[in-house]
Amino acid sequence: MDERLICERFPRASRYHPEWVLAGVSGAANPLWMTEWLAEGLPLRPGMRVLDLGCGRALSSIFLRKEFGVQVWAADLWFDAAENLQRIRDAGAEDGVVPVQADARSLPFETDFFDAIVAIDSFFYYGTDDLYLNYLARFVNPGGHIGIAGAGLMQEMDGPLPEHLREWWTADLWCLHSAAWWRRHWARTGIMSVEVADTLPDGWRLWLEWLRLIAPDNVAEIRAVERDGGRHLGYVRVVGRRRPETQLTDPVVSVPARYARKPLLRGG
């Protein structure tokens, strides 16, 4: 038996063939591990409508359909929807997973359409914007849930970057944040009641195991995670429920033209 990616912590994910998982790699976290972990904090029921935002190659979407019987819209900007459709068909999930190529900031859905929204190892690309939660929350019905899981920090790094991370760290990695940061980021808006904000015990070891399997030549990141030993790097999970009593602000999509000619200069 091929024992790659068998993990006692994630029994559901361990049933999936490693070649199938590896063929669908789209990031530095195992999407099935992250989805199984996130699902533990979500009240998923068969028939629910779920948006899998930033789904990559749709492995998380297929997993949600197979394991929980939910209807999934698999949305991603970078990965081709036609390719994802073929993967969905081959997995026998076409009856419950719809691939969509879409920008997270310009989603083609009706308000209050979803029962839950999930984002696996992608939310930090777009969700740190102070205005984004107000935009996204309109697509989940009042009382519905939004959940994210993926790479993050154990605590915020407000001082100098630790020496052992400098070889790997680039400016864009400052989008990574801690569970406490995400809790505050969501809770202060009044839009969400944050129900879960935590880290995965020994998540850094799983990060390292995944990297060694999918990107053994990525020496800089492997060395950084290994030397860090969980002091700063790991996996973060946040789950919130949309508060029905909070009124969302409508986004500005256009401003009416009201031009009237006026004198340019005084006395002109």
Side-chain angles (χ1 to χ4, degrees), residues 40-53:
E40 292 169 3
L42 289 168
L44 298 178
R45 298 181 302 277
M48 289 178 65
R49 292 190 290 199
V50 176
L51 172 61
D52 186 2
L53 188 57

Side-chain angles (χ1 to χ4, degrees), residues 25 30 54 86 94 148 184 191 223:
V25 168
N30 183 319
Q86 187 60 57
E94 189 178 7
I148 66 175
R184 177 178 177 274
I191 295 169
R223 186 181 293 137

Side-chain angles (χ1 to χ4, degrees), residues 68-131:
F68 301 99
V70 294
Q71 298 285 326
V72 186
W73 278 255
D76 199 275
L77 175 63
W78 296 342
F79 292 91
D80 185 59
E83 178 192 333
N84 279 348
L85 178 58
Q86 187 60 57
R87 183 175 291 104
I88 290 162
R89 284 174 174 166
D90 289 346
E94 189 178 7
D95 64 332
V97 182
V98 180
V100 181
Q101 197 144 10
D103 189 327
R105 298 179 180 86
S106 184
L107 294 171
F109 304 113
E110 298 297 324
T111 58
D112 300 343
F113 184 75
F114 296 103
D115 300 299
I117 297 173
V118 303
I120 304 300
D121 206 39
S122 69
F123 200 74
F124 44 73
Y125 287 120
Y126 44 83
T128 58
D129 181 343
D130 287 338
L131 301 178

Side-chain angles (χ1 to χ4, degrees), residues 2 17 46-47 71 84 91 105 127 136 158 171 185 196 207-209 213 254:
D2 190 335
H17 199 291
Q71 298 285 326
N84 279 348
R105 298 179 180 86
L136 182 64
D158 296 324
H185 188 61
V196 178
W207 187 338
L208 193 59
E209 179 182 335
L213 186 60
S254 65

